[in-house]
Amino acid sequence: MKDTAVINSTEWLARGGLRPTRQRLALANLLVGDGIDRHVCAESLYAASRQTDERVSLATVYNTLRAFCEAGLIQEVVVDGAKSYFDTRMDDHPHFFWEDTGELVDAAKDQLEIARLPQLPEGAALARVDVVIRLRRV
């Protein structure tokens, strides 16, 4: 009998139309196996995978995260040009980014109000609006 984490991971991959390879299942299990939304960077997911029996290379982690994004299973949150996080929560919502620790956490979407966006250039369609609120401890 399969455990709940494996079932969750397999069903999650199927929703994205992805074949459940050994590497994808291992990483999906770390991301969504317990049903809790999380934010990870490739390096933290790689480090977590090193603690399991299903070890994968850092290159595989990067490639798999890209495949998960393209399949619509996770979204990328860019906090600066050199650092991206991957979010398993797929609804539109803002984030807090703690500059001192590099931690990305969800912010309450019902407290965010965007009154107006600039007019889009001709021939453009809005894909999404990312809101990352940078914080410093005082």
Side-chain angles (χ1 to χ4, degrees), residues 47-76:
S49 76
R50 302 290 295 160
Q51 304 302 316
T52 70
D53 292 335
E54 294 291 337
R55 295 186 179 189
V56 295
S57 71
L58 183 57
T60 297
V61 171
Y62 274 105
N63 291 336
T64 303
L65 286 170
R66 289 276 161 239
F68 291 170
C69 282
E70 290 169 9
L73 295 171
I74 60 175
Q75 58 184 328
E76 183 176 15

Side-chain angles (χ1 to χ4, degrees), residues 59-118:
T60 297
V61 171
Y62 274 105
N63 291 336
T64 303
L65 286 170
R66 289 276 161 239
F68 291 170
C69 282
E70 290 169 9
L73 295 171
I74 60 175
Q75 58 184 328
E76 183 176 15
V77 179
V78 179
V79 295
D80 65 40
K83 188 73 168 184
S84 289
Y85 289 81
F86 297 89
D87 189 355
T88 59
R89 183 176 158 190
M90 292 301 293
D91 66 310
D92 290 331
H93 62 282
H95 292 95
F96 288 127
F97 177 70
W98 289 96
E99 291 184 334
D100 60 337
T101 62
E103 183 182 13
L104 186 73
V105 296
D106 292 332
K109 71 179 184 178
D110 62 342
Q111 295 176 6
L112 176 68
E113 188 175 315
I114 299 175
R116 182 169 35 127
L117 294 174

Side-chain angles (χ1 to χ4, degrees), residues 111-138:
Q111 295 176 6
L112 176 68
E113 188 175 315
I114 299 175
R116 182 169 35 127
L117 294 174
Q119 184 173 347
L120 301 178
E122 188 174 322
L126 181 65
R128 76 181 211 205
V129 175
D130 292 326
V131 177
V132 177
I133 303 159
R134 297 171 178 279
L135 303 174
R136 259 187 218 118
R137 299 192 195 279
V138 291

Side-chain angles (χ1 to χ4, degrees), residues 2 5-29 32 54 56 60 64 67-68 71 73:
K2 287 186 176 181
V6 173
I7 293 168
N8 289 346
S9 301
T10 303
E11 290 174 351
W12 185 73
L13 289 171
R15 279 196 302 276
L18 295 175
R19 194 168 51 86
T21 64
R22 181 185 60 80
Q23 295 93 343
R24 285 178 182 164
L25 273 171
L27 296 175
N29 189 46
V32 300
E54 294 291 337
V56 295
T60 297
T64 303
F68 291 170
L73 295 171

